[in-house]
C-alpha cells in the first residue's frame, strides 16, 4: 500500500520540490497543505494528482485534519515578510520595546509549535522532517542574537525535544544551505552593487570561509534521503561549498556580466534597508563566516558523510584503460573512467545482455558453488581462468570446452573465520604463483570498529591484550581526527564508528575539548588478569583523563590509603599524581574529590575501594600509552 507524505508549504519553493520528487514514486501518495486551495498554484498541483487540503499554521484546529493518517510529514515555515515591509497592522501589535524582527521570530516559532503539537498527535507516524536552520544565538555564544529567521526554526527543535520527546525520536532535521537562486532577490538580501556596467557583490565577513550553496529545487531529494537515513539525523543540505569570490566568478561566467566580490561590514550592510532588515541579513552573512552556516554544530552531517550504498568490486581493465567494476548487490556491469570519475552503466541484465562494450554470454553454471568471488587469468593463450570460492575457501578452474568445473583445490589459508565465513577474495596469478587476499581481514576491521565504538561510548572496555593494542591505534587515530576537526576528518570518523550519529558529535565535542592541550597518548592499555577461561592475556583499554580513567582512580585510592595509614606519599605516587592531573581541566580538584570519596569508603569499610584493586592491573609488566 502506498505511504502518505503530507507536505507543508507545498505551493512554495521547498514544498513544491518535495512534491515533485515523490510524485514520480508510485510508493507514495501526496497531500499538500495550503492556506488557499483555490489559488492557481494549488490547482496546478491538484491537477497533477496531489490531494490539496486547507491548513493554516496560525490556526491549530485546521492542522489536525491536514496531518491525519500521515506516514511522513514535511514541515516548513516561512519567516514573515513583515520584517521587510513593516505593515501598519503588525507595527500596531508590537509590545513596548518589541521590534518587528522579534515579532516575526515569535510568529514563526508559534507556527512551528502549532505544527509540532499537531504532528505529535498523529498515530502511526514514521517520520517528521523539519526544515530548520542553526541556532545562531547558541552557536555564536551570543555574538549574533538578531538572526531571528535562524533561531526561530532551531527553537522549534528545542520545543519538540522538551515537549514531545517521542516525536523527537521520529524527527529528522533538514538545514537547507544558502539558496543558489537568492541573487534574484533584492539588494539587502543579496548585496549586488552596480558600478559602471559591472556588478560588485559586497558581503559582510572575511570572505575566507566557503558557503554551502544549494539549488532549492533539490530539496525533495534531500527529504527523500532523510527518510532513508536514521531518525534524528541533522542534515546540512548543499550541493557545493564556495567562497563568495568563486561564487561571483561563476555567476559572472554564467550570466556574461562582469562582476567582482568585495568584503564589507554588518554596519555598512545594515544601511541597505531600514528597520533592521539589512542588519539581520548582514549579521547572518557575518555569522556564516565567523561560526559557519550551521554554527559548527557537531551533530550536523552532510550527504558526503554517507558511504555509497552500492558495493562494487572485481574490476576488469579494458584495453582502452576504462574499468569494468561489478555491482555485487545488483546484476549490473558498470564502466568507470578512472581519469574523469565518470561512471556509466553498461549492462543491466547480466548474463545475457548485449551491450556496446562487450557481448555477454553465459558459459558455465556452478550449481554447488558457495560464493564465487575473484577471477584471474591462468593461461591467456589457452584461455584458462581460475575463480575463487570465498565461501568454500578454494579455487575452481572451469574449462568451457569440457564444461568441467570442480574445485581444483582448497586450502586452509583461504578459509574464512568462524564468525565470518567469507574467505579468499581478490586473486592474481603472477610468475607462476597465485596471490590472494582473504576477506576475513574485513572481519578484523569490523571487530576493531566495534571495539572503538564501545570505547568511545563507555570510555573503557575490557578485551584481550592483543585486541586492546590494535584497537588503541584506531582510537588514537580517531582522537586525532577529532582534533583536526575538518570536514574530511569528520567524514572519516563517520565511516569508522558504528553509531556515528551518537559518537561523531561526542568525538568532535567533549572529547576534542578534553584533549585540546594533550599532544598525544589519549588512550591507555592496562594489562589485567585473564577474563576468559582460555587464560588469554586480557587488558583494559581506556580513554585517559575521562570519567573511567583507571590510573586516576588507582592513584586516588593509593593517596587515600596512604593518608588513612598516616604515611607519606612516596615518589612513585607523586609522579603518578603529576601524570594523571597534568592535562585534566580541574585535575587536582577532581583528584582530591575522588581521594575524599575513597577516604570515606575506607573509614566505613565499603568495598568500592577494593573493586578498583580487584581488577589486578599489572602496570609494571605492560604499560602503554
Ligand atoms: N533563501 C535561502 O537561502 C534559505 C535557505 C535556507 C532556508 N530558508 C528558509 O526557507 C523558508 C521559506 O521556504 P520556501 O522558500 O520554500 O518558502 P516560499 O517559497 O516563500 O513559500 C512559503 C510557503 O509557506 C506557506 N505558508 C506561509 N504561511 C503559511 C501559513 N500560515 N500556514 C500554512 N502555510 C503557510 C505558503 O503556502 P500558501 O501561501 O499556499 O498557504 C508557501 O507554500 C524561510 O523560512 C527561509 O528562512 C531560506
Amino acid at each position: 500500500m502506498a505511504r502518505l507524505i503530507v507536505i507543508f508549504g507545498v505551493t512554495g519553493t521547498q514544498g513544491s520540490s518535495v512534491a515533485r520528487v515523490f510524485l514520480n514514486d508510485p510508493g507514495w501518495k501526496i497531500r499538500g497543505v495550503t492556506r488557499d486551495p483555490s489559488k492557481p498554484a494549488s490547482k496546478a498541483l491538484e491537477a497533477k494528482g496531489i490531494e490539496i487540503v486547507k491548513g493554516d499554521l496560525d490556526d491549530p484546529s485546521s492542522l489536525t485534519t491536514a496531518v491525519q493518517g500521515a506516514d511522513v510529514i514535511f514541515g516548513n515555515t516561512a519567516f514573515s515578510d513583515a520584517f521587510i515591509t513593516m505593515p501598519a497592522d503588525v507595527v500596531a501589535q508590537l509590545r513596548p520595546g518589541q521590534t518587528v524582527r522579534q515579532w516575526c521570530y515569535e510568529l514563526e516559532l508559534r507556527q512551528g509549535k502549532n505544527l509540532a503539537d499537531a504532528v505529535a498527535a498523529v498515530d502511526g507516524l514514521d517520520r517528521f522532517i523539519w526544515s530548520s536552520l542553526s541556532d545562531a544565538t547558541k552557536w555564536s555564544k551570543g555574538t549574533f542574537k538578531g538572526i531571528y529567521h535562524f533561531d526561530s526554526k532551531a527553537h522549534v527543535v528545542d520545543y519538540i525535544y522538551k515537549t514531545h520527546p517521542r516525536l523527537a525520536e521520529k524527527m529528522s532535521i533538514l538545514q537547507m544551505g544558502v539558496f543558489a537562486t537568492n541573487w534574484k532577490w533584492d539588494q539587502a538580501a543579496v548585496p549586488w552593487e552596480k558600478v559602471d556596467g559591472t556588478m560588485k557583490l559586497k558581503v559582510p565577513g572575511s570572505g575566507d570561509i566557503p558557503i554551502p550553496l544549494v539549488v532549492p529545487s533539490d530539496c525533495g531529494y534531500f527529504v527523500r534521503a532523510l527518510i532513508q537515513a536514521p531518525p534524528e539525523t541533522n542534515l546540512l543540505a548543499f550541493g557545493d561549498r564556495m567562497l563568495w569570490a568563486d561564487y561571483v566568478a561563476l555567476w559572472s561566467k554564467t550570466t556574461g556580466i562582469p562582476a567582482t566580490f568585495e568584503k564589507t561590514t554588518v554596519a555598512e550592510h545594515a544601511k541597505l534597508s531600514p528597520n533592521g532588515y539589512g542588519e539581520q541579513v548582514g549579521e547572518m552573512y557575518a555569522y556564516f563566516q565567523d561560526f559557519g552556516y550551521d554554527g559548527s554544530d557537531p551533530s550536523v552531517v552532510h550527504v558526503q558523510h554517507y558511504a555509497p550504498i552500492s558495493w562494487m568490486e572485481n574490476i576488469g581493465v579494458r584495453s582502452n584503460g576504462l574499468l569494468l567494476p561489478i555491482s555485487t548487490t545488483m546484476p549490473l556491469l558498470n564502466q568507470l573512467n578512472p581519469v574523469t570519475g565518470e561512471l556509466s552503466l553498461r549492462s543491466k541484465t547480466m548474463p545475457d545482455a548485449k551491450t556496446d562494450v562487450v557481448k555477454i554470454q553465459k558459459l558455465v553454471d556452478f550449481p554447488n558453488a558457495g560464493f564465487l568471488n575473484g577471477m584471474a587469468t591462468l593461461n591467456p593463450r589457452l584461455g584458462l581462468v581460475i575463480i575463487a570460492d570465498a565461501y568454500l575457501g578454494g579455487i575452481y578452474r572451469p574449462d568451457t570446452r569440457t564444461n568441467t568445473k570442480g574445485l581444483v583445490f582448497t586450502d586452509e589459508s583461504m578459509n574464512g573465520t568462524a564468525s565470518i565465513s567469507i574467505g579468499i577474495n581478490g586473486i592474481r596469478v603472477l610468475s607462476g604463483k597465485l596471490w590472494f587476499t582473504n576477506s576475513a581481514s574485513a572481519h578484523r576491521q569490523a571487530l576493531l570498529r566495534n571495539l572503538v565504538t564501545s570505547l568511545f561510548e563507555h570510555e573503557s572496555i575490557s578485551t584481550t591484550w592483543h585486541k586492546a593494542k590494535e584497537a588503541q591505534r584506531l582510537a588514537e587515530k580517531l582522537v586525532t581526527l577529532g582534533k583536526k576537526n575538518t570536514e574530511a576528518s569528520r567524514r572519516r570518523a563517520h565511516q569508522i564508528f558504528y553509531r556515528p550519529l551518537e559518537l561523531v558529535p561526542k568525538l568532535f565535542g567533549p572529547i576534542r575539548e578534553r584533549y585540546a592541550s594533550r599532544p598525544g597518548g589519549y588512550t591507555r592499555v592496562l594489562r589485567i588478569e585473564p577474563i576468559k577461561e582460555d587464560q588469554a592475556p586480557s587488558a583494559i583499554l581506556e580513554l585517559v583523563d575521562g570519567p573511567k580513567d583507571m590510573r586516576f582512580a588507582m592513584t586516588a585510592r593509593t593517596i587515600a590509603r596512604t593518608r588513612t595509614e598516616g604515611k607519606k606519599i612516596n615518589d612513585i605516587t607523586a609522579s603518578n599524581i603529576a601524570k594523571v592531573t597534568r592535562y585534566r581541566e580541574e585535575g587536582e580538584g577532581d583528584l582530591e574529590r575522588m581521594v575524599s570519596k575513597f577516604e570515606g569508603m575506607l573509614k566505613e569499610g565499603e568495598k568500592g575501594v577494593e573493586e578498583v584493586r580487584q581488577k589486578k592491573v599489572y602496570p609494571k609488566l605492560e604499560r602503554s600509552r
Side-chain angles (χ1 to χ4, degrees):
M1 209 172 77
R3 300 170 79 205
L4 174 65
I5 179 166
V6 174
I7 303 170
F8 280 81
V10 74
T11 57
T13 311
Q14 296 187 41
S16 61
S17 160
V18 181
R20 227 178 359 264
V21 167
F22 284 83
L23 205 52
N24 294 326
D25 191 332
W28 290 90
K29 283 184 299 181
I30 306 173
R31 183 186 297 156
V33 186
T34 170
R35 287 166 298 176
D36 183 2
S38 65
K39 70 177 182 181
S42 309
K43 288 284 170 203
L45 291 165
E46 200 166 38
K48 290 180 178 163
I50 295 172
E51 177 194 1
I52 295 291
V53 298
K54 190 173 163 67
D56 187 337
L57 292 165
D58 292 320
D59 172 13
S61 65
S62 72
L63 303 178
T64 316
T65 346
V67 295
Q68 214 166 29
D71 293 293
V72 172
I73 296 171
F74 172 68
N76 182 27
T77 45
F79 195 76
S80 169
D81 278 351
F83 89 120
I84 306 169
T85 55
M86 302 272 289
D89 63 323
V90 170
V91 175
Q93 292 173 40
L94 299 180
R95 294 191 302 270
Q98 190 185 30
T99 63
V100 179
R101 292 157 73 183
Q102 287 162 342
W103 184 90
C104 294
Y105 160 83
E106 286 179 17
L107 176 71
E108 191 175 35
L109 179 58
R110 199 164 51 243
Q111 291 180 342
K113 287 180 175 180
N114 288 343
L115 179 59
D117 293 343
V119 174
V122 177
D123 275 342
L125 181 82
D126 280 344
R127 194 64 64 85
F128 176 48
I129 312 267
W130 171 240
S131 182
S132 192
L133 285 169
S134 61
D135 187 334
T137 303
K138 174 180 162 187
W139 295 114
S140 72
K141 295 202 165 72
T143 308
F144 294 107
K145 291 188 187 144
I147 311 175
Y148 291 106
H149 58 302
F150 272 54
D151 287 3
S152 48
K153 296 173 181 71
H155 293 169
V156 173
V157 174
D158 295 344
Y159 172 77
I160 292 172
Y161 270 99
K162 197 163 163 222
T163 318
H164 301 297
R166 298 197 58 193
L167 175 60
E169 288 169 11
K170 299 177 187 172
M171 177 171 63
S172 303
I173 299 168
L174 173 68
Q175 297 192 38
M176 290 290 280
V178 179
F179 291 0
T181 46
N182 282 353
W183 64 273
K184 297 173 185 169
W185 291 5
D186 61 283
Q187 206 198 1
V190 184
W192 286 109
E193 194 176 285
K194 253 192 192 153
V195 189
D196 305 330
T198 68
M199 297 292 277
K200 190 184 278 181
L201 184 73
K202 292 170 77 175
V203 188
S206 65
D208 296 339
I209 306 292
I211 305 298
L213 288 155
V214 68
V215 176
S217 56
D218 281 348
C219 177
Y221 299 110
F222 290 110
V223 169
R224 193 172 59 186
L226 271 174
I227 295 172
Q228 287 163 7
E232 298 193 64
T233 299
N234 184 358
L235 178 74
L236 174 60
F238 62 94
D240 206 353
R241 286 186 193 269
M242 288 183 115
L243 294 173
W244 284 122
D246 295 336
Y247 168 81
V248 170
L250 183 62
W251 183 89
S252 176
K253 192 174 160 196
T254 312
T255 59
I257 302 169
T260 51
F261 164 73
E262 194 177 292
K263 290 182 233 176
T264 183
T265 61
V266 175
E268 278 301 309
H269 191 93
K271 290 181 195 159
L272 294 175
S273 179
N275 307 319
Y277 170 37
E279 191 185 5
Q280 177 160 326
V281 176
E283 282 189 7
M284 175 189 78
Y285 284 127
Y287 168 69
F288 296 174
Q289 296 292 297
D290 295 351
F291 295 92
Y293 185 82
D294 57 8
S296 305
D297 172 355
S299 72
V300 165
V301 295
H302 312 149
V303 271
Q304 291 85 342
H305 285 137
Y306 289 93
I309 45 176
S310 121
W311 173 10
M312 292 193 181
E313 59 164 53
N314 282 329
I315 300 168
V317 185
R318 296 184 62 201
S319 52
N320 58 7
L322 296 178
L323 307 178
L324 296 171
I326 290 166
S327 303
T328 54
T329 46
M330 282 172 282
L332 300 178
L333 176 64
N334 308 276
Q335 178 169 275
L336 176 74
N337 183 327
V339 179
T340 64
E342 190 194 342
L343 186 70
S344 52
L345 191 65
R346 303 321 299 179
S347 160
K348 263 191 174 170
T349 51
M350 287 170 72
D352 298 321
K354 291 186 180 114
T355 73
D356 59 332
V357 178
V358 277
K359 182 168 186 274
I360 298 170
Q361 189 187 349
K362 184 163 82 176
L363 295 175
V364 189
D365 278 322
F366 292 85
N368 299 322
F371 177 12
L372 294 182
N373 204 336
M375 182 154 83
T377 313
L378 185 62
N379 186 324
R381 202 168 46 81
L382 295 176
L384 287 179
V385 294
I386 52 170
I387 299 174
D389 190 320
Y391 186 67
L392 301 178
I395 292 285
Y396 286 96
R397 200 196 67 193
D399 186 327
T400 52
R401 289 164 302 185
T402 58
N403 201 15
T404 44
K405 58 210 169 208
L407 271 179
V408 275
F409 63 86
T410 58
D411 191 274
E412 211 175 299
S413 61
M414 294 176 179
N415 281 335
T417 58
S419 48
I420 177 173
S421 47
I422 309 246
I424 180 169
N425 198 328
I427 52 175
R428 288 282 178 276
V429 176
L430 201 64
S431 311
K433 290 199 176 89
L434 169 68
W435 295 79
F436 64 91
T437 54
N438 190 325
S439 280
S441 64
H443 173 62
R444 201 182 119 253
Q445 275 307 318
L447 182 101
L448 291 179
R449 288 178 61 197
N450 225 336
L451 287 173
V452 293
T453 299
S454 297
L455 174 67
F456 281 84
E457 186 180 357
H458 303 293
E459 298 269 341
S460 166
I461 53 168
S462 306
T463 181
T464 64
W465 164 255
H466 292 288
K467 283 181 194 162
K469 290 299 289 176
E470 277 204 76
Q472 182 179 37
R473 277 195 287 277
L474 188 56
E476 291 279 332
K477 183 176 164 186
L478 273 164
V479 178
T480 310
L481 290 174
K483 288 176 77 174
K484 269 193 190 158
N485 198 19
T486 61
E487 202 165 299
S489 66
R490 203 171 272 262
R491 200 158 49 230
R492 185 72 195 108
H494 227 267
Q495 288 163 345
I496 295 172
F497 285 127
Y498 276 122
R499 282 189 298 288
L501 295 179
E502 203 180 303
L503 294 174
V504 168
K506 182 174 178 183
L507 176 65
F508 288 81
I511 301 272
R512 181 166 71 94
E513 277 165 30
R514 185 193 296 170
Y515 298 129
S517 57
R518 191 179 258 283
Y522 316 111
T523 58
R524 183 184 297 128
V525 174
L526 293 165
R527 193 160 157 158
I528 54 172
E529 60 186 353
I531 46 180
K532 284 203 174 166
E533 277 177 10
D534 62 7
Q535 296 297 305
S538 300
I540 289 174
L541 172 60
E542 62 183 17
L543 292 175
V544 302
D545 297 341
K548 303 247 179 92
D549 187 322
M550 190 74 169
R551 187 185 289 170
F552 188 80
M554 283 166 48
T555 307
R557 178 182 64 87
T558 309
I559 301 170
R561 194 173 292 282
T562 314
R563 280 189 198 164
T564 315
E565 290 168 0
K567 293 184 186 158
K568 270 189 148 186
I569 301 285
N570 65 23
D571 289 349
I572 297 173
T573 309
S575 143
N576 280 338
I577 294 172
K579 278 185 193 160
V580 296
T581 56
R582 186 165 167 205
Y583 294 108
R584 234 180 214 262
E585 215 183 326
E586 306 274 320
E588 286 174 13
D590 281 353
L591 185 67
E592 200 46 51
R593 271 186 288 281
M594 192 173 269
V595 171
S596 310
K597 201 170 127 200
F598 279 135
E599 280 180 317
M601 289 163 136
L602 278 170
K603 275 186 204 132
E604 288 165 24
E606 281 193 36
K607 72 185 214 327
V609 184
E610 293 310 309
E611 273 173 13
V612 173
R613 194 173 58 83
Q614 269 170 19
K615 292 272 190 198
K616 279 217 179 125
V617 175
Y618 307 134
K620 279 192 183 138
L621 239 180
E622 303 266 18
R623 188 193 295 163
S624 162
R625 264 285 153 90

